C-alpha cells in the first residue's frame, strides 16, 4: 500500500477530498519524523511504537573478501515495536499466504 492508496481508501470512507486526506497523512508522517529525529518515542496504542535507538559500533566483513574488515561506527536507527493488536493480526498470517 502506498500513501496515495491510503488517501484514496480514507477519502472513500469519509467523503473527504483526497487532497485534504493526503495533506493530513503527510503532516502526520512529518510530525512522526520530527519527533523521532528529536530523540523522542512516538507511540500509537494498539499499533506500535517508533523509537530511536543507538546501534553499537561493530566490525563488518565483505563476503567476497572475508579477510578485509571494516569498522562500522555507532549510529542512531529507528526501531519499530508493533502493538498488541497489530501483533495479533499479523501473527494469524500463514507464511505461505504472505502477499508481496
Amino acid at each position: 500500500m502506498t500513501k496515495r492508496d491510503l488517501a484514496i481508501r480514507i477519502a472513500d470512507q469519509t467523503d473527504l477530498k483526497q487532497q485534504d486526506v493526503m495533506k493530513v497523512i503527510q503532516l502526520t508522517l512529518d510530525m512522526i519524523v520530527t519527533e523521532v529525529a528529536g530523540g523522542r518515542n512516538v507511540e500509537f496504542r494498539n499499533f506500535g511504537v517508533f523509537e530511536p535507538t543507538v546501534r553499537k559500533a561493530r566490525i563488518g566483513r565483505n563476503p567476497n573478501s572475508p579477510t578485509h574488515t571494516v569498522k562500522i561506527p555507532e549510529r542512531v536507527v529507528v526501531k519499530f515495536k508493533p502493538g498488541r493488536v497489530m501483533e495479533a493480526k499479523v501473527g494469524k498470517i500463514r507464511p505461505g499466504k504472505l502477499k508481496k
Side-chain angles (χ1 to χ4, degrees):
M1 172 183 282
T2 64
K3 205 170 16 173
R4 187 177 191 299
D5 295 335
L6 182 62
I8 290 169
R9 287 185 186 184
I10 292 172
D12 289 345
Q13 291 182 19
T14 61
D15 295 326
L16 295 172
K17 293 180 187 177
Q18 283 183 27
Q19 286 179 320
D20 294 339
V21 174
M22 195 65 142
K23 285 179 188 176
V24 171
I25 292 170
Q26 189 58 54
L27 281 170
T28 302
L29 295 174
D30 290 344
M31 288 182 187
I32 292 169
V33 169
T34 300
E35 288 300 304
V36 174
R40 295 174 290 279
N41 293 356
V42 176
E43 180 179 340
F44 297 106
R45 297 270 182 220
N46 299 322
F47 178 75
V49 179
F50 296 93
E51 177 181 18
T53 59
V54 175
R55 183 175 285 169
K56 291 189 249 180
R58 62 192 194 280
I59 301 296
R61 289 182 177 76
N62 182 345
N64 294 329
S65 63
T67 57
H68 182 69
T69 61
V70 178
K71 184 174 180 180
I72 302 169
E74 79 174 5
R75 63 187 183 126
V76 176
V77 295
V78 178
K79 183 172 110 178
F80 177 76
K81 182 179 177 195
R84 194 176 319 158
V85 171
M86 180 185 287
E87 215 164 60
K89 288 188 177 190
V90 172
K92 291 180 183 178
I93 300 172
R94 292 191 193 121
K97 301 287 182 182
L98 191 61
K99 297 177 184 177
K100 299 223 175 183

